[in-house]
Amino acid sequence: MKEPQIIVIGNGMVGYKFCEKLRSKTSSFNLIVFGEEPRRAYDRVHLSEYFNGKTADDLSLSTENWYEEQNITLFLNNPVTKIDRELQKVYTANGLGYSYDILVFATGSGAFVPNIAGIEKEGVFVYRTIEDLDLISSYAKKAKTASVIGGGLLGLEAAKALIDLGIEKTSIIEFAPRLMPRQIDAAGSDMLKSKLADLGLQIYLNKNTTSIEGDDCITALKFSDDTVLDVDMLVISAGIKPRDELAKACGIKVGARGGIIVDEKMQTSDPAVFAIGECALYDGMIYGLIAPGYEMAEVLATNLCEGDKTFTGFDMSTKLKLIGIDVASFGDNFITEPDCRTIIFENKHKGIYKRINVSNDGQYLLGGILIGDATAYNLLLQTSNNRIVLSENPEELILGIRGGSEPAGAGITGLPDSALICSCEGVSKGDICSAVADGSCENIDDLKKCTKAGTGCGGCMPMVKDLLNHTLKSQGKYIKNVICEHFNYSRQELYDLIHIHELKSYDAVLDALGKNDGCEVCKPLVSSLLASLWNEMILKKGNDVAQDSNDRFLANIQKGGSYSVVPRVPGGEITPDKLIVIGEVAKKYNLYTKITGGQRIDMFGAHLNDLPIIWEELIAAGFESGHAYGKGLRTVKSCVGSTWCRFGLHDSVSFAIRIEERYRGIRAPHKFKSAVSGCIRECAEAQSKDFGIIATEKGWNLYVCGNGGSKPQHALLLATDLDSETCIRYIDRFLMFYIRTADPLTRTATWLNKMEGGIDYLRNVIINDSLGMAAQWENEIENLIASYKCEWKEAVENPAIRKRFSHFVNAPEDKDPTIEFVEMRGQKRTAEWKTV
């Protein structure tokens, strides 16, 4: 008996997933796939990574032989051009006809291109396929400015791509009054806009583009308000439109605004024809995410194999990292009072906005929005989807548990086994835990192969890892805390391996110890390790683009896009001449000045291209970088001590200067601070620092692992009545132990809190040398101290590094025209953001 023949039109992600799911269930169908593009199915979700070094093969969803191995006939670069429903036959671009018993539309969507005069000009592109990206990449080499029409998910992805291509002057044009209008509210949009502007993006909202100016090539955009924006290049990413033209031409019902109408079985108006993915219109809605497309593929594959499964809609919650900024929304994110109770947390300094909507009885989480910090997204989504009853303090969902410990039954352990963890592949908590518990999977790679969890968009991976670790731990198995999918090592293991192999750049580390192209997690982490090990110039070629944003310019970027300049003032001691220099520099470059809690002077409002000039003037007066931007020693605060104070027992200022000049420039997992107080009155607040020193009648008491901030913690007493040399020796050991063993971005207080044995164990390691490492650590820190160089001085004296400090590559003297200041108490401050 002849096998029924299925023809799939479209070889995108959903078309490929349908073939994969069908073949996992049966081999009884003859399967033929027609693809319009010249390459096999690839990952469009991570398309922007093509500009970060990934190849088309890296993005491919299958091996070259997969279709043949699965007995699937694949035609590439050969689209279907006509369908004869009466004969049940399709005709392709090469003129041949093919019969079908079942026809599946998986044609996806195309880029929506608005009807704008001049749209055909050279330099105008859409952002949809690898071929589009190749064209964009080629044209970008001669472009100095670029714009993206569209401030939604795809538009922000396109803007990131242009920045990755080196077009620093990139703008986003959005017709709506806010960014990402389908995902986030006005306050969230304002926060996102502010963060994007800090990265150099110009944002124009409420802008209606009426024409594209220029002769043959684009030179400018003209708007309905008669304003004009000069641009060399334009990428249109204003949304999608379903590819339904073939269905419409052969008489299959489509929606008034596009999309092939399907029922809950994915069946169209023709019983032999089905549609899945972004071309399908279910219940009046086009689902523009990959997860619902995969669910449609599962529904169709199951029903074709005589199963019974329906599509009833899909949760459109989403989490993304857009240009390094977390953006997420889930559940009913736009519901407002009085239909709910809304809890909002906003931190404009750090660019964080969190909103959750809670039922009026306070029992259930209905939805929410996260900007700047979406670490809690997966758990919040599960709490909302599974209607888990909230605690009496629902604000703790976004503010954290007060009092330190999580109640029993909270977090991932409190989720039901039916909780859907990976929506792309329909994998539940129970599926994941069972695969680990039965011994099938003991690492992430095995778990992904076994359950497919995390193989779609990847947004569920943090929770998948937590479930893997939780299940392994409950079985009494050792858990290896790897840093990311590109390095199968913990931070501590990677530190030792880099040291052993004497690797000096991120690329060398990746080639020797990692795989693929790295990510935003491992790049700054490896860069931090290299700095902690070798103390070389962090902007040395090979490491420069892997740094955190502030390290890239040796200064903290501030609200509005300007930078701060913070010279080191060891121990808070400064001469009148140096004070005068700071005043003269601040006046010359019109900088806002403020004395900080760390006993130094911050100067705010510096333009990027002024930084090297300002640094040169400060260096000439004897100043050096204060490392206010880096994960290393910030300040050593001091009181005046015995030199002036009648209560002082020792010279706290001199000791503070000695300490600060000893540890300056040493990089660590996170910033660390210190202080020296001349007596028990503690004017320098030493017990709130990562390590603090307080004078006693017999010497110095050394305290460790304190911090201020949002969760303040007193430092604990490590040793008493130490002489100066012993105190420094213990600090050497303490810092090297911390640098070697702490997790990424972990302050010393958190490091100690997680340490088995706590302060007693730490004391045994540092004072009694219980690990036998003291001599090695003392030698290592001496090497770091000996290799110290001022990063500002190296930057201004190195032409290759210095040229990085310009806003416009072709006009290095010009300042960023978008930065605005207003007067405040005789100085200036950043102007508030305006809606353009």
Side-chain angles (χ1 to χ4, degrees):
M1 181 178 175
K2 185 181 177 183
E3 292 179 340
Q5 182 150 290
I6 299 177
I7 288 181
V8 181
I9 305 176
N11 188 42
M13 294 182 74
V14 175
Y16 165 79
K17 184 57 64 175
F18 168 72
C19 295
E20 183 187 75
K21 288 180 177 292
L22 186 67
R23 277 294 181 253
S24 70
K25 300 176 190 296
T26 182
S27 59
S28 61
F29 291 100
N30 186 30
L31 197 51
I32 302 175
V33 180
F34 290 96
E36 187 176 42
E37 294 184 60
R39 62 188 83 249
R40 60 189 187 274
Y42 56 89
D43 183 358
R44 293 185 196 273
V45 174
H46 299 102
L47 192 60
S48 293
E49 294 181 20
Y50 189 66
F51 289 128
N52 292 330
K54 279 202 172 184
T55 65
D57 282 342
D58 294 331
L59 291 171
S60 180
L61 297 175
S62 68
T63 62
E64 195 170 350
N65 300 323
W66 183 83
Y67 292 89
E68 184 179 347
E69 292 168 353
Q70 299 296 322
N71 196 24
I72 300 172
T73 303
L74 174 65
F75 292 96
L76 295 176
N77 211 17
N78 188 21
V80 172
T81 56
K82 181 183 175 184
I83 299 168
D84 188 326
R85 289 168 52 212
E86 288 187 13
L87 296 177
Q88 292 197 177
K89 213 169 182 183
V90 302
Y91 298 89
T92 67
N94 65 10
L96 298 178
Y98 299 84
S99 297
Y100 66 83
D101 296 295
I102 296 167
L103 181 65
V104 178
F105 278 95
T107 46
S109 62
F112 169 71
V113 180
N115 186 21
I116 302 171
I119 201 78
E120 75 289 344
K121 294 189 190 299
E122 187 178 339
V124 180
F125 304 90
V126 294
Y127 187 85
R128 195 68 183 155
T129 68
I130 286 179
E131 283 66 41
D132 293 333
L133 268 59
D134 284 335
L135 292 171
I136 290 170
S137 180
S138 176
Y139 200 86
K141 294 173 183 175
K142 56 184 179 182
K144 299 292 189 298
T145 61
S147 281
V148 175
I149 290 182
L153 298 178
L154 297 175
L156 296 180
E157 280 290 322
K160 178 185 185 302
L162 294 172
I163 291 174
D164 289 342
L165 288 170
I167 304 178
E168 293 184 3
K169 192 174 181 182
T170 297
S171 56
I172 295 174
I173 316 296
E174 171 55 45
F175 179 77
R178 66 177 189 263
L179 294 170
M180 297 182 66
R182 294 187 178 183
Q183 287 82 25
I184 61 178
D185 59 10
S189 173
D190 288 344
M191 187 66 76
L192 178 61
K193 179 185 174 186
S194 175
K195 290 197 65 121
L196 292 173
D198 286 345
L199 296 174
L201 275 170
Q202 294 174 295
I203 312 294
Y204 299 93
L205 302 177
N206 282 315
K207 282 288 185 182
N208 181 17
T209 308
T210 55
S211 65
I212 298 170
E213 304 295 300
D215 295 326
D216 296 327
C217 303
I218 180 175
T219 58
L221 296 175
K222 189 173 182 180
F223 304 110
S224 59
D225 58 4
D226 292 330
T227 58
V228 175
L229 179 66
D230 293 334
V231 291
D232 304 326
M233 182 177 179
L234 175 66
V235 176
I236 295 175
S237 191
I240 60 172
K241 61 177 182 179
R243 295 287 303 275
D244 60 4
E245 60 270 20
L246 273 175
K248 189 175 182 180
C250 72
I252 291 173
K253 288 184 180 179
V254 298
R257 300 181 66 181
I260 305 168
I261 297 173
V262 297
D263 62 13
E264 71 278 3
K265 302 278 190 179
M266 312 319 301
Q267 190 177 70
T268 70
S269 57
D270 184 329
V273 181
F274 300 82
I276 55 177
E278 292 177 345
C279 67
L281 180 72
Y282 173 77
D283 198 23
M285 184 169 179
I286 297 290
Y287 288 85
L289 296 177
I290 193 61
Y294 280 7
E295 177 66 9
M296 292 177 182
E298 173 65 27
V299 167
L300 180 55
T302 298
N303 292 329
L304 291 177
C305 296
E306 300 183 357
D308 185 17
K309 193 173 178 70
T310 58
F311 184 84
T312 57
F314 206 85
D315 177 23
M316 294 296 281
S317 301
T318 186
K319 174 192 170 187
L320 304 130
K321 188 175 279 290
L322 299 167
I323 321 181
I325 303 167
D326 282 346
V327 179
S329 64
F330 63 93
D332 195 344
N333 50 328
F334 290 134
I335 189 173
T336 57
E337 297 178 350
D339 298 319
C340 71
R341 296 177 185 175
T342 297
I343 300 171
I344 293 174
F345 170 77
E346 191 172 30
N347 184 333
K348 291 185 178 181
H349 174 65
K350 292 187 176 180
I352 294 172
Y353 173 81
K354 298 180 182 183
R355 164 183 167 173
I356 56 172
N357 306 318
V358 178
S359 61
N360 281 321
D361 61 9
Q363 290 202 57
Y364 302 107
L365 177 63
L366 304 179
I369 296 166
L370 306 170
I371 308 292
D373 176 15
T375 51
Y377 167 77
N378 285 302
L379 196 55
L380 291 173
L381 175 63
Q382 296 301 328
T383 302
S384 174
N385 287 350
N386 293 284
R387 288 187 63 80
I388 294 173
V389 176
L390 303 178
S391 71
E392 62 180 352
N393 299 309
E395 68 274 11
E396 291 178 344
L397 290 169
I398 54 175
L399 298 179
I401 304 293
R402 287 166 289 186
S405 61
E406 194 175 71
I412 56 170
T413 59
L415 296 177
D417 284 346
S418 59
L420 188 64
I421 303 299
C422 177
S423 56
C424 291
E425 294 289 346
V427 186
S428 69
K429 174 191 171 185
D431 296 331
I432 294 169
C433 293
S434 295
V436 179
D438 67 13
S440 303
C441 310
E442 292 194 348
N443 58 59
I444 284 294
D445 288 339
D446 288 345
L447 198 53
K448 289 169 90 171
K449 289 174 185 175
C450 177
T451 66
K452 294 288 184 181
T455 58
C457 70
C460 63
M461 284 310 298
M463 188 161 279
V464 172
K465 290 177 181 176
D466 286 345
L467 286 170
L468 170 68
N469 292 343
H470 169 73
T471 309
L472 288 173
K473 194 170 182 179
S474 67
Q475 295 178 312
K477 294 181 179 178
Y478 167 73
I479 300 168
K480 187 174 182 179
N481 186 25
V482 299
I483 62 171
C484 73
E485 62 187 278
H486 305 108
F487 290 95
N488 194 31
Y489 303 104
S490 66
R491 180 191 178 277
Q492 296 82 356
E493 291 169 332
L494 204 54
Y495 179 101
D496 288 331
L497 287 168
I498 294 171
H499 193 194
I500 291 167
H501 294 287
E502 297 186 0
L503 303 172
K504 298 292 182 75
S505 72
Y506 173 78
D507 288 339
V509 175
L510 185 64
D511 290 343
L513 306 172
K515 60 183 179 181
N516 297 332
D517 302 305
C519 64
E520 292 176 345
V521 173
C522 62
K523 286 180 179 178
L525 185 148
V526 171
S527 299
S528 172
L529 290 176
L530 292 168
S532 294
L533 276 164
W534 313 121
N535 211 13
E536 293 182 340
M537 174 57 170
I538 59 170
L539 297 184
K540 182 180 176 183
K541 189 173 182 181
N543 295 328
D544 48 354
V545 296
Q547 302 292 336
D548 279 322
S549 56
N550 289 330
D551 281 317
R552 293 187 186 189
F553 296 108
L554 307 179
N556 286 327
I557 190 168
Q558 303 295 331
K559 175 182 175 181
S562 64
Y563 292 82
S564 62
V565 177
V566 189
R568 187 170 296 287
V569 181
E573 182 182 82
I574 188 167
T575 64
D577 286 340
K578 283 189 173 183
L579 278 172
I580 290 169
V581 169
I582 287 179
E584 289 173 341
V585 167
K587 286 183 70 174
K588 181 176 180 179
Y589 296 96
N590 190 25
L591 305 178
Y592 170 86
T593 55
K594 185 183 185 303
I595 297 173
T596 74
Q599 297 181 338
R600 55 187 181 182
I601 300 173
D602 283 10
M603 292 174 276
F604 294 87
H607 286 270
L608 179 63
N609 48 348
D610 282 340
L611 288 176
I613 310 169
I614 294 170
W615 295 340
E616 279 182 318
E617 293 192 28
L618 292 171
I619 290 166
F623 287 105
E624 60 187 14
S625 168
H627 289 97
Y629 48 83
K631 302 294 187 289
L633 177 67
R634 292 294 173 86
T635 61
V636 181
K637 192 174 178 180
S638 72
C639 65
V640 294
S642 60
T643 52
W644 290 95
C645 178
R646 67 184 187 276
F647 299 111
L649 298 174
H650 302 305
D651 184 357
S652 52
V653 178
S654 296
F655 200 35
I657 292 171
R658 181 181 177 188
I659 294 291
E660 185 158 350
E661 291 184 342
R662 181 173 181 80
Y663 301 119
R664 61 189 173 184
I666 293 177
R667 299 298 176 114
H670 211 305
K671 65 184 178 184
F672 57 96
K673 301 177 181 180
S674 181
V676 182
S677 287
C679 72
I680 198 60
R681 286 172 177 79
E682 250 281 73
C683 293
E685 301 168 330
Q687 291 177 84
S688 66
K689 307 301 181 188
D690 294 276
F691 64 94
I693 305 163
I694 301 176
T696 70
E697 295 284 354
K698 299 178 181 178
W700 305 98
N701 282 354
L702 176 59
Y703 294 80
V704 294
C705 300
N707 67 245
S710 60
K711 294 184 179 179
Q713 180 170 313
H714 262 86
L716 299 178
L717 182 63
L718 183 75
T720 60
D721 298 329
L722 305 173
D723 61 77
S724 297
E725 298 305 319
T726 303
C727 185
I728 287 175
R729 188 163 66 250
Y730 286 173
I731 296 170
D732 287 351
R733 298 176 185 179
F734 166 74
L735 287 177
M736 288 310 302
F737 188 33
Y738 167 62
I739 289 169
R740 275 178 162 270
T741 62
D743 287 330
L745 300 178
T746 300
R747 290 290 296 272
T748 58
T750 305
W751 171 64
L752 179 62
N753 292 342
K754 292 181 177 180
M755 188 182 295
E756 290 189 21
I759 188 64
D760 292 330
Y761 174 76
L762 181 62
R763 188 180 291 113
N764 204 25
V765 170
I766 302 304
I767 298 175
N768 300 326
D769 192 18
S770 61
L771 298 180
M773 294 291 292
Q776 181 177 327
W777 291 342
E778 290 167 18
N779 181 60
E780 287 174 353
I781 205 162
E782 287 294 345
N783 290 336
L784 293 177
I785 292 164
S787 61
Y788 168 77
K789 293 180 181 177
C790 173
E791 290 171 348
W792 286 355
K793 191 170 189 293
E794 287 197 82
V796 299
E797 293 178 352
N798 185 319
I801 294 176
R802 184 164 182 156
K803 73 177 183 180
R804 295 168 57 91
F805 295 88
S806 60
H807 191 75
F808 302 111
V809 176
N810 60 336
E813 302 301 320
D814 291 357
K815 294 177 171 58
D816 182 355
T818 66
I819 296 178
E820 297 181 17
F821 301 102
V822 295
E823 191 273 339
M824 181 182 70
R825 294 188 294 275
Q827 296 198 75
K828 70 177 184 181
R829 68 167 177 84
T830 302
E832 295 298 328
W833 292 110
K834 301 173 184 175
T835 300
V836 181

